[in-house]
Amino acid sequence: LMKKILFFALSLALFAACSKPASNLTYVSDTFTVNGSCGMCKTNIEKAAKIPGVATAVWNQKANSLTVKYAPSKVDIMAVHKSIAAAGYDTDKAHGDDAAYGKLPGCCKYRDK
């Protein structure tokens, strides 16, 4: 009986420890230009932007703007620009990698339009 009580107590303590938030990060939002042209671009840009420290990334196709919510204590905003550029997309602070741009599907070739 004592082993069962001890097991239950330890299980409860472990559950309580694991269910607490990892930390109280402060998030900020930033919106900047990211060139693209279609729904596939939206998927690629948002995926490239969601590096560790970025909570959300939403690209607006009509405005060619990306809004990211990120923790500045975990990630520098230039790292987000560079990740998007590595995927072949131009931002207002980083030129998209030319080789990656060349591999984008035809519908995503915004520079050629």
Side-chain angles (χ1 to χ4, degrees):
L1 178 63
M2 192 61 152
K3 287 182 180 181
K4 287 183 180 181
I5 292 171
L6 182 59
F7 177 76
F8 178 74
L10 288 173
S11 297
L12 187 59
L14 181 61
F15 175 77
C18 291
S19 64
K20 292 180 183 176
S23 64
N24 292 327
L25 293 176
T26 301
Y27 290 92
V28 298
S29 289
D30 194 4
T31 300
F32 53 89
T33 300
V34 179
N35 294 315
S37 59
C38 66
M40 191 176 295
C41 292
K42 178 177 176 62
T43 300
N44 293 339
I45 291 166
E46 291 174 355
K47 182 179 177 182
K50 290 194 81 176
I51 61 176
V54 174
T56 62
V58 179
W59 184 67
N60 181 313
Q61 182 178 341
K62 290 181 182 177
N64 273 342
S65 66
L66 179 73
T67 300
V68 292
K69 181 178 174 184
Y70 67 101
S73 63
K74 296 287 183 186
V75 65
D76 180 71
I77 195 64
M78 273 309 297
V80 179
H81 284 268
K82 289 177 182 178
S83 180
I84 295 165
Y89 295 91
D90 298 328
T91 77
D92 55 9
K93 293 185 179 178
H95 180 74
D97 180 79
D98 291 330
Y101 177 81
K103 293 178 183 175
L104 293 175
C107 59
C108 296
K109 302 285 177 99
Y110 57 89
R111 293 178 190 163
D112 303 339
K113 294 183 181 186

